Amino acid sequence: MAEGRVTAGGKTYPLEPPYLVFATQNPIEQEGTYPLPEAQLDRFLFKVIVGYPTRDQERALVRRHGHSGGMPELDEFNLQPVINLEIISAARKLVRQIELSDPMIDYIVDIIRATRSHPSLMSGASPRACNMLATASRAYAALHGRAYVIPDDVQALIGPAIAHRLMLSPAAEIDG
């Protein structure tokens, strides 16, 4: 992911900015699903758990796609671009300008470091988690119209930012 290229079938392809990597994972209990190694998990910014749709949402899905037996063709989704590279670049520039004060840096570092010594955790979050949480907090502040990060920004993102980076100790797993 960090190299800006992907290799498939022995051939390497460069990825044009601003590429993103999204991955999905079925529940561990399902056949053919294997957990990623810690080093790979750590490269993802967030872990977002997507539950089942509501009954009404599921009915709408069936109404729209229940006539076909397989995956619809991409054209059937009628997707239209809502953003372009210029806007993405401007947004990234704006996020870099959001102030992350020394006390906020200390706050982020202290939270991440605390995961490494918690007795219920076999392994805590990495230094990469600090950087990713800081950047995400800046983006969150920007989305809320602020030019600076506050603790609420960090608190809103800490769960999805570290949930996939932490490994419970065997005793904590047994205790539930």
Side-chain angles (χ1 to χ4, degrees):
M1 288 183 273
E3 291 80 13
R5 59 184 182 262
V6 65
T7 302
K11 185 171 179 187
T12 300
Y13 303 91
L15 299 171
E16 298 292 326
Y19 74 90
L20 296 171
V21 177
F22 289 88
T24 62
Q25 182 179 13
N26 293 327
I28 293 292
E29 310 81 52
Q30 292 188 4
E31 189 173 330
T33 300
Y34 305 99
L36 289 172
E38 288 175 59
Q40 288 181 354
L41 283 175
D42 193 41
R43 296 188 187 301
F44 286 93
L45 175 59
F46 292 134
K47 177 179 184 174
V48 178
I49 297 177
V50 179
Y52 288 108
T54 66
R55 184 174 190 276
D56 288 342
Q57 291 168 333
E58 201 160 359
R59 289 182 77 244
L61 287 169
V62 172
R63 186 176 297 114
R64 185 167 186 180
H65 301 291
H67 60 278
S68 64
M71 179 68 178
E73 295 294 321
L74 190 58
D75 294 344
E76 292 180 50
F77 288 103
N78 298 318
L79 299 175
Q80 299 298 317
V82 295
I83 198 166
N84 60 34
L85 182 57
E86 185 178 317
I87 294 170
I88 292 171
S89 296
R92 286 181 170 179
K93 183 178 178 184
L94 172 69
V95 167
R96 284 191 298 272
Q97 294 171 354
I98 299 298
E99 181 187 353
L100 185 64
S101 67
D102 283 344
M104 288 308 309
I105 291 171
D106 291 343
Y107 185 61
I108 290 169
V109 168
D110 290 346
I111 290 171
I112 298 301
R113 290 181 63 84
T115 68
R116 298 181 203 147
S117 60
H118 195 283
S120 295
L121 298 175
M122 190 164 63
S123 68
S126 71
R128 178 182 278 123
C130 285
N131 290 333
M132 291 181 139
L133 181 57
T135 300
S137 297
R138 283 179 152 141
Y140 194 84
L143 286 171
H144 288 85
R146 277 181 276 99
Y148 52 89
V149 174
I150 61 174
D152 290 354
D153 301 328
V154 177
Q155 291 169 15
L157 301 174
I158 190 69
I162 68 169
H164 57 295
R165 294 181 161 92
L166 306 179
M167 292 185 62
L168 287 177
S169 68
E173 282 194 50
I174 289 170
D175 291 343

